[in-house]
Amino acid sequence: MSDAVQNKSTRDAFGEALTLLGKSNPNIVVLTADLAESTRVLEFEKEFPDRFFQVGVAEQNMAGIAAGIAVNGRIPFMTSFSAFSPYGNWLQIRTLIAYSNANVKIVSTHSGLSAGKDGATHQALEDITLMRVLPNMVIISPADYNETKNAVKAAVEHKGPVYIRLTRDATPVFTNHKKPFEIGKSPILKKGKDITIACTGPILAEVFSAAEKMEPEISCEVINFSTIKPMDKDTLLDSAKKTGKVITVEEHQIAGGLGSAVCEILAENMQVPVFRIGINDSFGESGSYSDLLEKNQLNAKHIKIKVTDFLKNHAGN
Amino acid sequence: MPQVKRYCDNVKILDLQRTAAKLREEVIEMLLQAQSGHSAGSLGTADIFAALYFEIMNIDPKNPDDPNRDRFILSNGHICPIWYATLSHRGYFPKTELKKLRKIDSRLQGHPHIQMLPGIENTSGPLGIGLSFAIGISSAALLDQASYRVYCMTSDGELNEGQIWEAAMYAPKQRLNNLTWIIDRNNIQIDGTTEQILPLEPLRDKLESFNWYVIEIDGHNIEEIVNACNMAKAVTQRPTVIIAHTIPGKGVNFMQYKFSWHGLAPNKEQAKAALKQLRSMESRIESEYY
């Protein structure tokens, strides 16, 4: 990554993409549970007031209304923070959206540690787990601003439930905005031969930076798992076959998240050492996003140390 | 109060009463076949189902996806035996399929699923979620400038759920006058009476204070059911809720008023006794088989 890299948030990308898509697609409607500004849907409201539903602080009602609106061909985007939706309305999502295969897009911001100073109650570190076990559900966790814009477009084109996991803070923009988002395809961002690093979300920027620092001694293959479900098994297995070692990195509990998903696929297909980097069975706390990454050992510096240690421990494997 | 033409076609009323009686028989037979399911609410709402599907709603079973059709949403999904019985009698699918209730490879799931059967408009089972779904459909109708009406039935026990009150606050805000919410006020839930478990009264006051147009009726009186739904059509600027007072287990004396029959199906002897009573309502002789 060059030094001139720009920082922008994935929630900003969402708001901009949604307003743009709303112009060409009259079926798109938006629901908010009293978080229109924070989730960046205010512009959509201004532009299309008739297609905007303010339901108040009532995430369960929001999920039910979204499912009902979807029946006649509308494409509802129900928006909130991850810590409230799907946390507060999982039953409604399971019954009325996943089981009913409703064409509802659940978009939640402030996921991972990005709720920062609001503390552990607002930091969604379990949402991938909650959504990954639901049949019919697609889970998208974009790496940056550019990818989010394309992912929102792909979600509109996909018929069926989609959960998009977004974050609050401005993070590096590094993916190619010209590359269309393909649900279920995980692009290899950097080719390598010594180790596979599977990552999801904006924390990919930290992984990328760590990988660059390890060159040329350690050659990392970095895969962007921006779709967590359905999982791109082929890309994972091909890479693991080549490198023989896999590390996963996520801003999420290692139980049930990307790390678990990767382990499930690998365990059924090949014997390969795996190490999961993420939140290890603990809650967060208040602090700036960068302080939280440092304390949870999730920034480039710590990722580099963990990858190096892992390789040392498995030398000769 | 809005003025509407009174509904007083006596021949039609008698016909709907007979339909309701037939639906009750069907429910008993289905529950016996399934050997599980919910008797009380299914029997208690038969008159409302008969009135809705054979008189009130603008529907065409031959064209179940007609975009202009009226929608019925069942929030208390556990009483789906009466919904399935009604739909099949109205011609949505063959009556022979009713005996497959709750069996493997069946479209008649223990709780309804939106894509399984023609005429089924929503998925339900977990309580308290259907009114929000109905609000979604009502909202879409306004967006589409469509004129169809949305009917949503909930039980009274499910008013314990917080989501009901989220929805109850929201619908009047949006002035959803195309929405009619029917509460099956039978006063029972699984563990006891509603007023023992978690008191709902004064229910009418609660709903009025939420700015709904409230109508209270005898939920077994066909004329009152039809009148109330017609009156709701004349209400502008806000949604209508009909509190339909019903007798759980209506038509079968050993089931009536008993909360123990909420989630119970009759055994062979009980079914025989129930059918004898239900069939006698039409002055029929005791049936040899059931």
Side-chain angles (χ1 to χ4, degrees):
Chain A
M1 256 181 294
S2 73
D3 294 336
V5 72
Q6 214 184 350
N7 280 0
K8 283 178 166 184
S9 73
T10 58
R11 61 173 170 156
D12 279 333
F14 165 61
E16 290 165 27
L18 198 61
T19 307
L20 199 64
L21 288 163
K23 284 179 183 152
S24 59
N25 191 334
N27 283 330
I28 295 176
V29 303
V30 175
L31 297 92
T32 185
D34 201 23
L35 286 170
E37 201 278 327
S38 298
T39 57
R40 298 294 189 259
V41 293
L42 268 186
E43 274 309 307
F44 189 96
E45 181 185 15
K46 276 183 205 149
E47 199 83 32
F48 315 105
D50 294 346
R51 290 192 264 146
F52 186 84
F53 299 88
Q54 171 60 267
V55 304
V57 196
E59 293 80 13
Q60 300 181 348
N61 192 34
M62 176 167 71
I65 295 172
I69 291 179
V71 170
N72 281 0
R74 298 275 175 183
I75 307 171
F77 277 74
M78 51 175 269
T79 58
S80 184
F81 291 177
S82 294
F84 312 142
S85 170
Y87 284 29
N89 53 10
W90 191 84
L91 178 148
Q92 289 73 13
I93 289 172
R94 173 181 182 264
T95 311
L96 297 173
I97 297 174
Y99 178 46
S100 304
N101 206 12
N103 195 19
V104 175
K105 316 304 168 187
I106 303 155
V107 182
S108 302
T109 65
H110 295 58
S111 70
L113 293 166
S114 71
K117 293 177 183 178
D118 283 342
T121 55
H122 285 49
Q123 291 159 3
L125 300 169
E126 304 84 10
D127 54 313
I128 295 175
T129 314
L130 287 174
M131 299 305 259
R132 205 164 69 79
V133 291
L134 292 176
N136 293 335
M137 188 64 65
V138 165
I139 304 176
I140 299 175
S141 162
D144 70 356
Y145 175 91
N146 286 344
E147 194 175 38
T148 303
K149 282 200 157 178
N150 294 329
V152 174
K153 191 164 181 278
V156 170
E157 284 158 10
H158 174 82
K159 201 163 162 42
V162 177
Y163 172 57
I164 304 182
R165 179 181 209 248
L166 302 178
T167 55
R168 173 185 175 276
D169 288 67
T171 50
V173 182
F174 56 92
T175 65
N176 181 357
H177 72 277
K178 286 182 187 153
K179 199 179 170 303
F181 191 93
E182 273 186 87
I183 290 173
K185 285 269 177 277
S186 292
I188 297 173
L189 284 192
K190 181 187 166 303
K191 291 248 175 222
K193 57 181 175 43
D194 296 328
I195 187 163
T196 299
I197 305 185
C199 182
T200 191
I203 199 175
L204 199 69
E206 301 289 332
V207 168
F208 217 82
S209 152
E212 281 187 336
K213 282 176 192 151
M214 286 183 269
E215 296 279 355
E217 291 79 15
I218 300 170
S219 160
C220 300
E221 179 141 301
V222 180
I223 309 174
N224 174 13
F225 277 94
S226 42
T227 310
I228 292 174
K229 187 173 182 260
M231 194 93 175
D232 186 349
K233 289 183 187 178
D234 292 344
T235 300
L236 174 67
L237 291 173
D238 287 350
S239 179
K241 213 171 285 173
K242 181 171 72 177
T243 64
K245 293 175 191 69
V246 177
I247 277 191
T248 63
V249 183
E250 63 197 306
E251 234 178 273
H252 188 276
Q253 302 287 352
I254 57 173
L258 174 71
S260 288
V262 164
C263 285
E264 286 160 19
I265 291 165
L266 291 174
E268 286 181 339
N269 288 282
M270 63 174 67
Q271 275 200 321
V272 51
V274 183
F275 184 70
R276 292 170 297 156
I277 300 176
I279 308 296
N280 193 358
D281 203 24
S282 64
F283 288 106
E285 65 180 82
S286 287
S288 73
Y289 183 52
S290 58
D291 284 348
L292 286 163
L293 288 184
E294 169 63 27
K295 185 160 181 179
N296 288 281
Q297 306 189 342
L298 284 169
N299 54 18
K301 179 183 82 183
H302 286 287
I303 291 167
K304 178 171 176 274
I305 294 168
K306 288 182 181 182
V307 171
T308 313
D309 287 351
F310 178 69
L311 282 172
K312 260 186 223 155
N313 294 338
H314 291 89
N317 274 7
Chain B
M1 183 184 282
Q3 293 299 310
V4 290
K5 189 167 162 268
R6 302 300 293 179
Y7 180 81
C8 56
D9 182 338
N10 288 332
V11 176
K12 187 80 195 175
I13 289 170
L14 193 63
D15 201 33
L16 290 169
Q17 285 169 342
R18 285 194 178 129
T19 301
K22 183 70 204 158
L23 294 176
R24 287 193 170 95
E25 287 178 33
E26 201 73 82
V27 163
I28 294 293
E29 287 173 7
M30 289 165 75
L31 293 176
L32 176 65
Q33 285 273 354
Q35 291 174 32
S36 80
H38 298 73
S39 300
S42 299
L43 294 172
T45 53
D47 301 296
I48 299 171
F49 274 86
L52 282 170
Y53 275 89
F54 290 84
E55 176 63 19
I56 297 162
M57 290 206 293
N58 173 31
I59 45 167
D60 176 10
K62 290 189 190 68
N63 189 8
D65 297 323
D66 179 359
N68 295 318
R69 72 192 184 279
D70 286 343
R71 269 70 162 177
F72 176 77
I73 302 302
L74 183 67
S75 186
N76 47 335
H78 58 271
I79 68 160
C80 61
I82 185 65
W83 202 9
Y84 295 151
T86 306
L87 289 174
S88 73
H89 278 251
R90 190 68 175 82
Y92 281 87
F93 59 88
K95 287 181 199 169
T96 50
E97 209 170 332
L98 292 177
K99 63 177 185 291
K100 297 184 83 175
L101 172 69
R102 289 184 168 236
K103 291 183 176 158
I104 199 74
D105 293 330
S106 167
R107 298 196 291 175
L108 280 70
Q109 290 293 297
H111 292 83
H113 183 277
I114 188 171
Q115 289 159 346
M116 290 258 181
L117 265 176
I120 296 292
E121 302 274 11
N122 69 304
T123 302
S124 57
L127 294 173
I129 65 177
L131 186 58
S132 305
F133 188 81
I135 286 172
I137 294 178
S138 288
S139 306
L142 293 187
L143 265 183
D144 295 342
Q145 296 181 317
S147 59
Y148 60 83
R149 296 194 62 79
V150 182
Y151 296 89
C152 176
M153 180 181 281
T154 71
S155 67
D156 51 2
E158 79 173 307
L159 308 187
N160 293 175
E161 293 279 4
Q163 189 186 348
I164 286 286
W165 301 98
E166 294 180 0
M169 268 191 280
Y170 182 79
K173 174 203 167 192
Q174 298 294 96
R175 302 178 181 188
L176 298 176
N177 68 330
N178 57 357
L179 175 65
T180 303
W181 172 17
I182 302 168
I183 299 173
D184 175 23
R185 184 75 175 109
N186 67 12
N187 297 289
I188 63 155
Q189 51 194 105
I190 296 179
D191 280 350
T193 68
T194 58
E195 301 316 289
Q196 283 170 339
I197 304 299
L198 188 57
L200 294 171
E201 295 299 337
L203 182 58
R204 184 189 182 107
D205 293 352
K206 285 189 173 84
L207 296 164
E208 279 179 343
S209 72
F210 276 57
N211 208 21
W212 286 73
Y213 185 79
V214 185
I215 305 173
E216 273 190 87
I217 60 165
D218 169 359
H220 301 303
N221 184 318
I222 296 287
E223 189 171 13
E224 287 191 24
I225 300 165
V226 176
N227 278 337
C229 288
N230 283 340
M231 192 181 283
K233 290 180 192 169
V235 175
T236 58
Q237 301 295 321
R238 54 183 175 152
T240 295
V241 57
I242 299 171
I243 303 174
H245 294 275
T246 66
I247 298 167
K250 168 77 175 174
V252 178
N253 64 1
F254 56 90
M255 293 183 179
Q256 286 186 166
Y257 299 107
K258 297 212 172 68
F259 67 81
S260 52
W261 279 97
H262 164 90
L264 216 61
N267 63 28
K268 221 171 168 183
E269 284 311 304
Q270 290 163 331
K272 196 172 179 181
L275 287 173
K276 189 179 166 187
Q277 289 180 34
L278 288 168
R279 285 175 179 160
S280 75
M281 288 168 81
E282 278 194 73
S283 307
R284 282 202 238 157
I285 56 166
E286 184 177 350
S287 180
E288 294 268 312
Y289 55 94
Y290 43 86

